[in-house]
Amino acid sequence: MLAFGMGEPLAIESPIARHLNPSQTGLLAPPKPALIVSTPGEVTEAVKAAILTGYRHIDGAYAYMNEEEVGAAVHAMIDQGVVKREELFIVSKLWSTFHERPLVRGACEKTLSDLKLDYLDLYLMHNPMGFKPGEEFLPLDAQGKVIPDNSTFLETWEEMEKLVDAGLVKAIGISNFNRSQIEAILNKPGLKYKPANHQIECHPYLTQEKLIDFCHSKGITVTAYSPLGSPDRPWAKPGDPSLLEEPKIRAIADKYKKTAAQILIRFHIERNVVVVPKSVNPKRIKENFQVFDFKLSKEDMNTIMSFNRNWRITLREWASNHKDYPLNAEY
């Protein structure tokens, strides 16, 4: 996937307001049992194109299986004098098979080695759920359900705090948590660092108002993945709704002389949410960047908000048996 995003700056020692996400198939989404990895070279060239366009925030993950390519692109741009390391805001994520205490630091060091970097600006816990450690990326039982490990996300968080102290990461955050799980971290005795950022699925079919408001009330920035509704997701079903084809969204796009994708990106920015839409296409990468020269009216924002139906693209039903499965809560 490879996605590029933008939004207001993350409040984590970073002036960056231009964001990109190199994930395997073009959208920022939690991994599925079947992962599609980009053609070798595709990610490298897309990241180069994004940096040349002006993107400065690179949002990746071990799970995307392309951090070596991302690193190659970053270093090529640094070597060519296009950008300095300190001008970039580089993010990765701890995968769920590395949640047990002895594994956390090694997973982070593997990411740093693949990226050929000394530190990350932000390191997220990709899911609140820990999976059985081992060679399998997604360990499943005979019923197709994920096999849990022996960790708790609070223990994993303590190990991530140590990464900050060791200078391997500047800040830590979370992804795909619900409110009660966030509160468990915030209320943890001896908490050293609270989550700096929360990355969640968010789009007009899933506006996440309550969760976003809660995060913002606690000083936690929010990043939206699948902001366009992931139209090219391989598990799409006939009859699934399509944001890019919604007549009212297309009408708003015509009104502002923008694309439907640009309207959806701007929608998130107006909500003070960092957004990471996908693309490996240089033309779309540039288009996705051209969202800072207009603002949506309150009426148009309300129209887009009205599409909410609490419809999720990524249910992760294969993890529904896990004690820390986050999606049974209201938010």
Side-chain angles (χ1 to χ4, degrees), residues 131-246:
F131 303 160
K132 177 186 175 183
E135 295 299 316
E136 288 185 81
F137 176 78
L138 190 67
L140 301 176
D141 62 20
Q143 285 71 47
K145 295 293 188 181
V146 73
I147 303 171
D149 66 3
N150 297 312
S151 72
T152 69
F153 59 81
L154 294 179
E155 294 169 346
T156 305
W157 187 256
E158 289 176 356
E159 295 305 311
M160 291 179 68
E161 289 179 321
K162 294 176 183 178
L163 302 177
V164 181
D165 291 337
L168 299 179
V169 305
K170 289 191 173 183
I172 49 178
I174 52 178
S175 181
N176 303 306
F177 278 55
N178 62 37
R179 173 176 174 157
S180 66
Q181 292 169 331
I182 299 170
E183 287 180 323
I185 292 179
L186 295 176
N187 297 328
K188 188 184 79 67
L191 180 70
K192 198 164 187 180
Y193 305 109
K194 76 175 187 180
N197 178 255
H198 188 198
Q199 194 169 107
I200 55 175
E201 179 184 341
C202 187
H203 43 75
Y205 294 144
L206 183 69
T207 53
Q208 299 270 35
E209 288 182 81
K210 290 183 178 179
L211 187 55
I212 290 172
D213 287 347
F214 173 74
C215 288
H216 285 168
S217 76
K218 299 298 182 181
I220 300 170
T221 62
V222 177
T223 299
Y225 68 72
S226 298
L228 310 182
S230 301
D232 59 353
R233 62 193 180 282
W235 64 96
K237 302 182 185 69
D240 278 355
S242 171
L243 282 167
L244 295 176
E245 301 302 321
E246 288 282 359

Side-chain angles (χ1 to χ4, degrees), residues 230-275:
S230 301
D232 59 353
R233 62 193 180 282
W235 64 96
K237 302 182 185 69
D240 278 355
S242 171
L243 282 167
L244 295 176
E245 301 302 321
E246 288 282 359
K248 289 183 180 178
I249 291 176
R250 293 171 74 94
I252 292 172
D254 290 341
K255 172 182 172 181
Y256 292 91
K257 295 181 171 56
K258 293 290 182 177
T259 66
Q262 288 169 329
I263 295 300
L264 293 173
I265 293 166
R266 186 69 209 183
F267 165 74
H268 292 282
I269 294 172
E270 299 280 355
R271 303 178 72 200
N272 196 28
V273 171
V274 177
V275 54

